Amino acid sequence: MSQEMINVETHGRVGLITINRPKAMNALNDQVMDEIGAALDAFEADENIGAIVITGSEKAFAAGADIGAMASFSYMDAYKGDYISRNWERVKTCRKPVIAAVAGFALGGGCELAMMCDFIIAADSAKFGQPEVKLGILPGAGGTQRLPRVVPLEMATNMIVSGTPIKSEKFKGTKLFDEIVEGDVVQAAVAFARKAVSDKLGLPKVRDLKIEHEDAEAFLQFSLNTVRTVAKNFPAPAACVQAIQAAVKLPFEQGLKRERELFLHLVQTPESRALRHAFFGERAASKVPDVPADTPLRKIESAAVIGAGTMGGGIAMNFANAGIPVRLLEMKQEALDRGLATIRKNYENSAKKGRMTMDDVEKRMSLITPTLSYDDIGQADIVIEAVFEDMAVKEQVFRKLDEVMKPGAILATNTSTLDVNKIASFTKRPQDVIGTHFFSPANVMKLLEIVRGEKTAKDVLATTLALAKRIRKTGVVSGVCDGFIGNRMIEQYSRQAGYMVEEGASPQQVDKAIEKFGFAMGPFRMSDLAGNDVGWYIRKRRYVERPDMKYPKIADKICELGRFGQKTGAGFYRYEAGKRDAIPDPVVDKLIEDHRKELGITPRKLSDDEIVHRLVFALVNEGAKILEEGIASKASDIDMIYLTGYGFPLHRGGPMLYADTYGLYNVVNRMKDFAANPHGDPSFWEPAPLLAKLAAEGKGFNG
Ligand SMILES: NC(=O)c1ccc[n+]([C@@H]2O[C@H](COP(=O)([O-])OP(=O)(O)OC[C@H]3O[C@@H](n4cnc5c(N)ncnc54)[C@H](O)[C@@H]3O)[C@@H](O)[C@H]2O)c1
């Protein structure tokens, strides 16, 4: 058998197998395991070999099973029940001692492979972990049965339920490994192997070890109750505990069987599908179809931000947090002082909460240099404009930036609604202009919507995507259109929310229904938080630009009363001074009642199910249009935007994955029902051509 993923050599009587997939952090897949199996066969048959060492690299023994392979393996494969086990048996059945030499990460399948070996020699820098729970599954190759036998039960349970990797030194005194070494772990393992042969150490069996705990059953029952409460939307943490319960109660082989059953169940849950979708979606977002992965990046070692308001301050903090010096420019000293004071207060609050030291606060503040002069920013590698949302002001700023910025600098705008192509046209270098749409608060929110203008250069896009990672954001690319991906979709969602209130639901019923579905905040509470005037301003523009489009008018009436939300103490709810609790308000009830009368609507009761699906399918239909127009290059990009920027519930994987799980055929049928509603807007529910086509073909947005 050819060896593409491992290297094999001999050191006297010791056979050495080195997993060699550096780009994949030595992730294990069928081929790696087959090659290891074949090498073990050969060593076992070779009478000159007395023991075998399996190792990886300095960075990773093996950082898990290949999740790419897991994503593509079908449920039918899982049902065969041999997805993992067939390849792994070989290590366990080898009749000569097998020693794992572990440096770097031994995660997931890597940790399980190490535990299957007869001995483990660990580097002091090694890290062991079972992170499967983060993908909604559990260790499926014996991890839940072996780990509690070699480390204390509490520790094993924590590791498996949290997924957090732990450094070697924390395992001192446990039975996880046989030696911990500071130097070359392979050399130490080869020496150990020689000793295993000369001293005839035999083959110890983890399976024969007892789980030691004074009351394991009570402890695990307590753990099960706790994780069920904490991880209520996700079944995997509880299943992890159930697998460990099996390790305590059942003989080893039966425990393995139980682990497998639980694994096969979890892998098919929508929650696991959602977590895997988000995991791959995050990685896929940084890949743009027509931008090659090896596109040379522009160097970003310094930055500038124009405008020290709500967004500018937060954006500057992102750079300082990543250790990138940033100049912050304002027109007036007072605005600059105010902006800096807010930044300092934010950092000091973090320090008070113990998230950083006062030293860190000073270090970060020292990376932010305030200025009133464009002369100070010309040498920055990137400048991000965050001034008022007004094209005339943007024009003035971009003309000035074109004058002062060095050649090759990236000129970015944080606009949330304006045309990035038009902004680019104010410069003589539209190829260097890009949109970087941060979400508020910009220092906290994960999402960065990266708006690719018609003329944006590929290396500018690639550099901005790489920068997003550096400042710990999820960068997702959007084409230019009104509202980009996120806000263009949310507008349809808000329209539906308004229609449902006109038809008979109260704002609190709408909010509660979608919050129960898992959204962080319903549309009306959200609007009160963001400021109802923001949407009002956009709608007024729409009434002029798109007179054909219908809008429910409740939100306008709320605004006409000056009820802009939390900031004015009243919106769709009322708020007590200094508090954020949304309290239903009879004034709003009356306003809604009058409005319905005006429209001649007899209110009806809407079910929570109707509310949820009208809101979510409003997103889905607009998402389908966005995909079709090429504004988003893939459905998972839309989902990443909704998961990281709009509070869409993670366990449902984003609107497009939710629609796939619901079945697009069923989505279209529901939309037909919604269109038949006499007070609805039938044109609203006209399925986007892409949605209709995929539904007819029995396909999904994600394949
Ligand atoms: N607030 C949000 O939630 C949010 C979210 C995403 C994007 N945005 C966008 O970010 C931009 C800024 O919004 P904001 O909420 O931070 O506004 P803001 O009013 O809080 O801040 C704007 C700042 O820009 C300064 N400024 C105005 N003209 C300037 C000029 N010519 N030169 C230098 N400074 C100037 C102002 O003094 C002010 O401090 C807008 O384009 C907005 O659409 C806002």
Side-chain angles (χ1 to χ4, degrees), residues 326-329 333 336-337 340 365 368-372 376:
V326 54
R327 307 237 160 174
L328 185 56
L329 184 142
Q333 189 64 42
L336 204 49
D337 292 345
L340 274 180
M365 288 305 296
I368 305 175
T369 311
T371 179
L372 294 172
D376 289 339

Side-chain angles (χ1 to χ4, degrees), residues 305-313 315 329-332 335-336 338-339 374 385-390 393-394 396-397 413-418 436-441 487 530 534:
V305 174
I306 315 293
T310 312
M311 297 306 288
I315 295 169
L329 184 142
E330 265 288 348
M331 289 177 303
K332 295 212 177 89
L336 204 49
R338 215 178 316 124
Y374 275 89
E385 163 279 310
V387 301
F388 301 135
E389 188 73 342
D390 179 324
V393 185
K394 304 276 189 205
Q396 190 196 347
V397 170
T413 170
N414 188 48
T415 181
S416 34
T417 55
L418 301 175
T436 47
H437 184 207
F438 286 82
F439 285 68
S440 182
N487 285 342
V534 178

Side-chain angles (χ1 to χ4, degrees), residues 28 427 445 507 694:
L28 304 174
T427 72
M445 294 293 288
L694 291 173

